[in-house]
């Protein structure tokens, strides 16, 4: 397993990934970029690559406060135009993200050599791709990390303060089972708890929550003591509402089509430095890389479909 | 659940509804009264969820009265008595009324298309897929709510929404709305009673058209047309080679939207926003409450307390109508914008404290260019930490562990500059403290001009920083500074950090 570290600046990224979660690009956008990039590489260099997931490490992030689209003006009796009565639509949120995208893949050693020789050319191809409705611009040389099974080596090459997007969707089912409530209540409970925890960690006081490894850990303790970090909701994929059918799409009938509703999961933003400080057992590199998983009716991009 | 019979509700005092924009031509200071509705019916007609104060229908005649009330709600000025059958019949014959009823039924959908403008025609999608046991994240399987439908389309049809969606208690005890009765969720009896009511109000033509729409819903719940975005999803990792993809069109579910919307308004202290104003449902609820109190006082009789038990019918594939999407003008749009605040989970990406903002970067640049003495910043919390007393061994151990985290804040600028490089040219750096300047300007790989960073440099820097911190401790605590033990620990930690960062 090898990793490509691609530093990019993405502008005009649409961070309204679904009507229910705003602020981060969807995880399908992240893994989508990785897949599109590998496809481009395999076509350009005529090599065979297998997609093993993509990670996103944000260095800086600015988002538009949002603006409403124009409403149709009304002409009143005095022939003056005034803002219409209709509610203005779609709050547009665009972001400008400076990040590193880590694309993980498998290939033969010949393909690896070919890839190694063409890295500079690939850097120029990055701007051909898009990211969640936005444009990409390469901000540095692409780095190829070979034989990186755990992903730790590629994480080590990132700036220590860039924030890596980690998958925490399993927390929802954990909290649901624990508190016997619906998924919506669990999400709200977790997000509230994360925010309360972050209030305790003010800028000028540092406190560490000790998890005593010697005592018995009851399930309640796990939720209470676990440091949730900067927990956010984001769209992680789709849930099909029907069987895939043959409809005419812009792919000209090559693939089947399905209508699907978005699935909301949770993610955590953790700094690369703090990730590396975790010991090898707890650093599960799999949670860093978002992978496509298709299990009808779920078409999601998660680290694992079933978490222990 | 409080409920009263329909006749009692109709007999409650009338509430004047005024249009804030229109003035009464007779008295220009007053607003024009456009409708007069019995207070007791307001909650039923305006509230979107099954109301506590729901009317109980005891016979088909009362059902006809109820439907007449629902239709007369749309009339301006309101007829008196409110359940005037003739007025309702005329309204149904009128093109505007019947087209509103038809239009609303045609716009029924469980999933809304992601159109940017609600006036664009949308797709009618009725989701009939079964619920999966093992759900992931937040979606229809894990929401645990009955299906909500989105209904609306043209804002001109909004007045007829109470006709379809207001809830009442049927004589079998079930709480239902005309829409759920018509679609057959509550059995044949409710469906046929509703149809008979329509016929008795002279709307048999309308009924034929409604039946046509219902049949087409059941025959073709999801259209064959692809409208909306197309996301191409690889079905496995080697899709680059074996071309296994699926085209997905995302359609947000009205159930999730309504659940989030209802949860938001239910909990005023929800962490992401606080409710700032009452909505009309709340007002209607309060008015109905007052009407009930007056009822009680007037007759001296308790209104019948009716415990409605929802029967557990075998889940029809189409689910149960619970809530109407809030504002028909917003339908078809993926984001609901209500008074400027979207109702959605919003990711708050707090600014990384390590990352300097533009202002911070400017300050840093100025500090480098001007003859600033030192880049070490000693904050009060560090001073407190260093002078903290640790009587037990466990506390001492913890102190030692946390020492490096605290010290990093003091030397953050140095490390950041070393790590990321200088924002100004090397020759322009006018920092006074020589050891700091060397640390941030010298490269690691040595060159012939003796400009590499040696371990002696690091030691010198660590000593300098320790002395700076000690000076601050002396100043702020008005004491003799850190103890020797503490100083040596700080020195060791700092040299370790610098060596790592170099």
């Amino acid at each position: 397993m090898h990793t490509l570290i691609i530093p990019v600046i993405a502008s005009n990224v649409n961070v309204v990934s679904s009507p229910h979660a705003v602020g981060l690009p969807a995880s399908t956008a992240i893994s989508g970029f990785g897949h599109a990039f590998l496809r481009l590489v395999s076509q350009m260099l005529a090599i065979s690559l297998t997609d093993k997931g993509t990670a996103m490490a944000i260095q800086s992030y600015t988002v538009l406060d949002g603006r409403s689209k124009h409403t149709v003006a009304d002409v009143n009796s005095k022939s003056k135009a005034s803002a219409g009565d209709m509610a203005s639509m779609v709050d547009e949120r665009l972001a400008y993200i400076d990040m590193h995208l880590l694309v993980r893949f498998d290939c033969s050693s010949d393909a690896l050599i070919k890839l190694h020789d063409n890295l500079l050319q690939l850097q120029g191809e990055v701007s051909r791709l898009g990211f969640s409705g936005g444009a990409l611009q390469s901000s540095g040389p692409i780095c190829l990390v070979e034989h990186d099974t755990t992903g730790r080596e590629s994480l080590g090459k990132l700036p220590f303060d860039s924030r890596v997007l980690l998958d925490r969707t399993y927390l929802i089912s954990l909290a649901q089972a624990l508190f016997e409530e619906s998924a919506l209540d669990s999400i709200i409970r977790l997000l509230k708890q994360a925010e309360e925890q972050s209030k305790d960690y003010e800028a000028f006081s540092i406190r560490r929550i000790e998890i005593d490894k010697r005592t018995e850990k009851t399930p309640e303790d796990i939720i209470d003591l676990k440091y949730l970090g900067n927990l956010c909701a984001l769209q992680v994929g789709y849930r099909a509402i029907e069987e895939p059918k043959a409809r005419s799409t812009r792919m000209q009938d090559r693939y089947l089509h399905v209508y699907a509703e978005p699935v909301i999961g949770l993610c955590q933003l953790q700094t690369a430095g703090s990730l590396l400080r975790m010991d090898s057992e707890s650093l599960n590199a799999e949670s860093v890389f978002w992978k496509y998983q298709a299990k009808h009716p779920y078409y999601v991009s998660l680290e694992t479909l079933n978490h222990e | 659940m409080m409920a009263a019979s329909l006749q009692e509700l109709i007999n409650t005092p009338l509430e004047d509804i005024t249009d804030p924009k229109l003035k009464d031509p007779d008295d220009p200071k007053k607003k024009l009264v456009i409708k007069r509705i019995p207070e007791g019916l307001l909650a039923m007609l305006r509230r979107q969820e099954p109301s506590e104060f729901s009317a109980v229908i005891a016979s088909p005649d009362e059902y006809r009265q109820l439907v007449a009330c629902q239709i007369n709600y749309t009339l301006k000025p309101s007829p008196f008595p409110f359940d005037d059958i003739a007025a309702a019949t005329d309204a149904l014959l009128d093109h505007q009324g019947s087209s509103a009823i038809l239009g609303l039924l045609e716009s029924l959908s469980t999933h809304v298309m992601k159109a940017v403008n609600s006036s664009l025609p949308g797709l009618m999608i009725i989701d009939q897929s079964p619920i999966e046991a093992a759900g992931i994240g937040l979606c229809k399987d894990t929401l645990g709510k009955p299906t909500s439908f989105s209904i609306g389309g043209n804002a001109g049809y909004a007045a007829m929404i109470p006709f379809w969606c207001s809830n009442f208690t049927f004589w079998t005890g079930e709480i239902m709305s005309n829409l759920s009765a018509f679609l057959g969720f509550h059995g044949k009896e409710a469906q046929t009673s509703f149809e008979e009511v329509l016929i008795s109000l002279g709307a048999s033509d309308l009924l034929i058209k409604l039946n046509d729409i219902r049949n087409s819903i059941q025959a073709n719940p999801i259209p064959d047309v692809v409208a909306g975005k197309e996301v191409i999803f690889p079905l496995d990792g080697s899709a680059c080679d074996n071309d296994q993809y699926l085209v997905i069109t995302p359609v947000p579910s009205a159930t999730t939207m309504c659940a989030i919307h209802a949860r938001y308004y239910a909990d005023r202290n929800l962490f992401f926003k606080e409710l700032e104003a009452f909505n009309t449902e709340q007002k209607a609820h309060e008015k109905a409450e007052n009407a009930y109190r007056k009822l009680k006082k007037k007759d001296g009789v308790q209104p019948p307390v009716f415990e409605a038990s929802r029967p557990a019918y075998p889940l029809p594939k189409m689910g149960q109508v619970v809530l109407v999407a809030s504002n028909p003008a917003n339908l078809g749009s993926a984001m609901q914008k209500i008074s400027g605040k979207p109702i959605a989970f919003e990711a708050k990406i707090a600014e990384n404290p390590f990352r300097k903002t533009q202002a911070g970067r400017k300050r840093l640049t100025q500090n480098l260019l001007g003859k600033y003495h030192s880049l070490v910043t000693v904050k009060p919390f560090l001073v407190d930490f260093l002078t903290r007393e640790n009587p037990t061994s466990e506390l001492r151990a913890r102190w030692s562990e946390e020492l490096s985290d605290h010290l990093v804040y003091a030397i953050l600028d140095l490390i950041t500059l070393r790590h990321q490089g200088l924002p100004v040219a090397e020759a322009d750096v006018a920092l006074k403290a020589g050891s700091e300047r060397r640390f941030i300007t010298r490269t690691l790989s040595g060159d012939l001009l003796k400009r590499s960073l040696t371990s002696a440099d690091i030691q010198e820097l660590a000593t300098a920083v320790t002395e700076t911190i000690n000076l601050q401790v002396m100043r702020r605590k008005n004491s003799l500074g850190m103890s020797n033990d503490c100083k040596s620990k700080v020195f060791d930690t700092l040299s370790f950090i610098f060596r790592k960062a170099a």
Side-chain angles (χ1 to χ4, degrees):
Chain A
M1 268 225 261
H2 322 287
T3 317
L4 278 169
I5 305 180
I6 309 174
V8 279
I9 295 180
S11 46
N12 284 353
V13 175
N14 179 20
V15 288
V16 180
S17 54
S18 80
H20 321 301
V22 167
L24 281 170
S27 67
T28 43
I30 303 172
S31 40
F33 169 81
H35 187 87
F37 190 75
L38 289 175
R39 206 182 150 93
L40 186 70
V41 169
S42 69
Q43 280 173 356
M44 262 176 60
L45 305 178
I47 51 179
S48 166
L49 299 164
T50 312
D51 182 9
K52 292 282 180 193
T54 314
M56 175 164 96
I58 303 176
Q59 261 179 275
S60 85
Y61 169 98
T62 326
V63 71
L64 253 191
D65 281 337
R67 58 168 186 239
S68 47
K69 296 240 171 199
H70 300 298
T71 55
V72 175
D74 255 347
V75 178
N76 62 12
S77 51
K78 296 181 193 163
S79 299
K80 284 198 168 182
S82 62
D85 276 342
M86 297 191 317
S88 40
M89 294 311 169
V90 184
D91 205 14
E92 213 176 21
R93 300 286 179 107
L94 299 173
Y96 178 93
I97 311 181
D98 187 354
M99 60 183 162
H100 290 260
L101 287 162
L102 286 78
V103 184
R104 209 139 164 253
F105 62 98
D106 250 341
C107 66
S108 64
S109 40
D110 297 335
L112 203 60
I113 296 170
K114 224 175 174 180
L115 193 59
H116 200 276
D117 294 333
N118 287 301
L119 280 181
L120 201 59
Q121 190 190 4
L122 289 176
Q123 192 185 341
E125 300 293 327
V126 166
S127 38
R128 275 172 61 180
L129 298 171
F131 183 78
S132 187
L136 288 177
Q137 184 191 348
S138 174
S139 64
I142 301 182
C143 175
L144 172 63
V145 179
E146 301 175 16
H147 306 297
D148 175 27
T149 27
T150 54
R152 183 180 269 271
E153 210 184 313
S154 47
L155 285 175
K157 292 210 187 290
L158 297 172
F160 73 98
D161 58 347
S162 55
R163 284 159 286 169
V164 184
L165 205 69
L166 301 170
D167 179 24
R168 293 279 180 256
T169 310
Y170 69 89
L171 283 179
I172 304 177
S173 42
L174 203 67
Q176 248 188 302
L178 206 57
F179 300 103
E180 281 168 32
E181 55 192 3
S182 76
L184 181 59
D185 293 325
S186 305
I187 288 186
I188 291 177
R189 175 193 291 271
L190 287 166
L191 291 173
K192 259 191 192 167
Q193 196 168 343
E195 179 152 308
E196 273 162 37
Q197 277 181 350
S198 68
K199 276 190 204 149
D200 292 338
Y201 279 69
E202 284 159 47
F204 296 109
S205 74
I206 300 177
R207 196 160 36 92
R208 193 183 292 184
I209 296 179
E210 295 276 327
I211 300 181
D212 195 346
K213 293 196 173 84
R214 286 172 292 173
T215 60
E216 284 291 320
K217 270 192 286 196
T218 62
E220 278 83 9
D221 292 350
I222 294 177
I223 291 284
D224 284 334
L225 292 179
K226 186 178 169 63
Y227 176 57
L228 294 170
N230 191 352
L231 207 63
C232 306
L234 89 166
Q235 181 192 337
V236 294
Y238 307 99
R239 188 240 191 252
I241 56 176
E242 51 163 2
E243 297 290 323
K245 288 201 175 73
R247 294 194 181 109
S248 87
T249 64
R250 72 184 163 144
M251 296 311 294
Q252 284 135 11
D253 306 337
R254 265 161 77 185
Y255 313 121
L256 295 176
H257 175 270
V258 77
Y259 279 104
E261 68 175 57
V263 174
I264 306 298
L266 287 176
C267 72
Q268 184 190 351
L269 290 154
Q270 193 172 4
T271 52
S274 120
L275 256 186
L276 283 174
R277 268 202 305 226
M278 296 164 70
D279 53 21
S280 306
E281 299 100 61
S282 19
L283 172 62
N284 181 6
E286 305 292 316
S287 76
V288 176
F289 294 93
W290 298 85
K291 287 192 280 293
Y292 280 118
Q293 330 229 2
K295 189 176 150 206
H296 185 74
Y298 280 97
Y299 298 93
V300 291
S301 171
L302 289 173
E303 43 121 341
T304 48
L305 208 52
N306 301 303
H307 203 276
E308 291 85 37
Chain B
M1 267 236 176
M2 286 170 65
S5 83
L6 184 62
Q7 196 54 51
E8 282 178 359
L9 287 179
I10 295 176
N11 292 340
T12 51
L14 294 172
E15 164 81 19
D16 288 347
I17 314 283
T18 57
D19 187 336
K21 293 189 188 144
L22 297 176
K23 302 279 185 214
D24 196 347
D26 300 326
D27 185 356
K29 288 199 190 137
K30 271 172 48 177
K31 295 191 194 127
L32 190 65
V33 173
I34 49 171
K35 290 188 192 177
R36 286 210 153 90
I37 301 177
E39 280 177 349
L41 288 176
L42 262 182
M44 180 188 83
L45 291 169
R46 280 191 167 175
R47 194 169 178 86
Q48 291 173 1
E49 294 220 39
S51 168
E52 280 183 22
F53 312 101
S54 93
V56 180
I57 313 296
S59 66
D61 281 334
E62 284 210 345
Y63 198 359
R64 193 160 59 128
Q65 261 183 319
L66 173 77
V67 172
C69 287
Q70 289 169 335
I71 297 172
N72 290 343
Y73 173 70
T74 69
L75 297 174
K76 292 186 232 186
S78 310
F80 186 80
F82 194 67
D83 59 337
D84 190 10
I85 303 286
T89 316
D90 287 337
L92 278 181
L93 284 173
D94 177 28
H95 173 74
Q96 203 180 16
S98 56
S99 64
I101 293 177
L102 281 170
L104 284 178
L105 189 64
E106 275 172 351
S107 70
L108 201 66
S109 182
T110 54
H111 288 74
V112 291
M113 202 178 89
K114 272 177 126 175
V116 288
N117 195 330
S118 74
S119 58
L120 290 175
L123 280 180
M124 235 173 70
I125 292 182
I126 307 287
D127 165 28
Q128 290 181 315
S129 58
I131 300 212
E132 297 279 317
I136 301 175
L138 179 71
C139 65
K140 129 182 192 154
D141 301 322
T142 55
L143 202 50
K145 291 240 160 24
T147 314
S148 299
F149 284 78
S150 154
I151 188 173
N154 190 337
Y157 300 159
M160 276 299 182
I161 286 188
F163 169 81
W164 277 125
C165 298
S166 54
N167 289 282
F168 52 89
T169 314
F170 206 55
W171 58 74
T172 57
E174 289 175 49
I175 299 180
M176 62 172 74
S177 60
N178 283 338
L179 184 58
S180 54
F182 179 65
L183 291 175
F185 298 162
H186 298 276
K188 218 55 186 128
E189 193 189 350
Q191 194 176 354
T192 40
S193 328
F194 175 66
E195 292 177 354
E196 278 164 20
V197 164
L198 277 185
I199 294 176
S200 70
L201 286 174
S204 21
D205 284 341
L206 182 64
L207 184 60
I208 294 172
K209 289 182 198 162
L210 290 175
N211 279 332
D212 285 340
I213 298 177
R214 181 178 59 195
N215 293 338
S216 72
I217 289 176
Q218 280 163 348
N220 194 12
I222 300 184
D224 242 354
V225 168
V226 174
K229 298 191 179 178
E230 293 172 21
V231 176
I232 306 177
F233 195 96
L235 290 174
D236 63 56
S238 30
C240 301
D241 299 326
N242 59 22
D243 208 29
Q244 292 284 328
Y245 292 95
L246 183 70
V247 179
I248 298 181
T249 298
V251 277
S253 118
T255 318
T256 320
M257 276 203 259
C258 292
I260 297 181
H261 188 266
R263 183 80 167 79
Y264 169 80
Y265 280 108
D267 182 354
R268 304 237 180 134
N269 296 319
L270 207 54
F271 80 108
F272 41 91
K273 285 191 181 30
E274 273 217 24
L275 194 58
E276 282 166 6
F278 285 111
N279 50 14
T280 50
E281 292 177 15
Q282 193 67 26
K283 279 193 205 140
H285 191 95
E286 283 173 1
K287 286 207 167 81
E289 220 174 351
N290 292 336
Y292 265 103
R293 284 199 210 107
K294 286 181 198 158
L295 252 186
K296 257 169 71 171
K297 272 194 216 159
K298 195 165 103 180
D299 298 347
V301 158
Q302 293 282 357
V305 176
F306 192 82
E307 284 301 322
S309 55
R310 231 172 256 272
Y313 35 80
L315 185 70
K317 285 266 176 138
M318 286 164 76
Q320 180 194 4
V321 176
V322 169
L323 182 71
V324 176
S326 53
N327 188 347
N330 281 339
L331 289 173
S333 160
M335 275 296 269
Q336 295 190 42
K337 187 165 185 250
I338 297 175
S339 65
K341 301 173 183 81
I343 314 267
F345 293 111
E346 201 156 331
K348 286 184 233 170
I349 313 247
E351 264 308 309
N352 191 339
F354 290 163
R355 164 77 51 200
K356 299 293 180 196
T357 55
Q358 284 299 99
R361 206 167 301 210
K362 216 166 117 185
R363 172 192 64 83
L364 194 58
T365 319
Q366 279 169 354
N367 289 345
L368 286 175
L369 291 175
K371 299 208 175 88
Y372 202 68
H373 191 269
S374 155
L375 288 176
V376 174
T377 48
V378 180
K379 292 254 169 29
F381 76 89
L382 178 60
V383 172
D384 291 335
F385 179 79
L386 290 171
T387 51
R388 194 167 86 183
E389 289 194 344
N390 301 300
T392 67
S393 64
E394 199 185 303
L395 285 173
R396 277 197 286 276
R398 200 182 294 190
W399 185 90
S400 315
E401 278 174 25
E402 296 179 357
L403 180 58
S404 65
D405 288 327
H406 284 74
L407 282 176
V408 158
Y409 276 111
I411 50 173
L412 207 47
D413 280 342
L414 290 171
I415 298 183
T416 326
L417 283 172
R418 177 90 197 158
H419 186 92
Q420 293 174 2
L422 293 170
V424 296
E426 218 175 274
D428 293 336
V429 171
L431 207 57
K432 268 193 179 167
S435 49
E436 291 177 22
R437 193 172 62 233
R438 275 195 291 279
F439 183 72
I440 58 179
T441 54
R442 292 226 177 133
T443 55
L444 277 178
S445 44
D447 59 8
L448 293 174
L449 297 174
K450 295 184 189 166
R451 284 164 32 95
S452 65
L453 200 62
T454 61
S455 56
D457 287 327
I458 293 181
Q459 269 205 336
E460 194 188 330
L461 179 60
T463 323
V465 175
T466 318
E467 286 306 312
T468 318
I469 297 178
N470 199 22
L471 186 66
Q472 290 300 319
V473 170
M474 277 197 322
R475 260 192 211 153
R476 299 216 187 139
K477 293 284 176 175
N478 221 7
S479 67
L480 294 171
M482 300 189 274
S483 64
N484 279 336
D485 195 24
C486 181
K487 244 205 249 180
S488 62
K489 279 218 179 77
V490 167
F491 174 79
D492 289 334
T493 319
L494 280 173
S495 39
F496 178 76
I497 295 176
F498 284 133
R499 208 168 298 128
K500 277 279 164 178

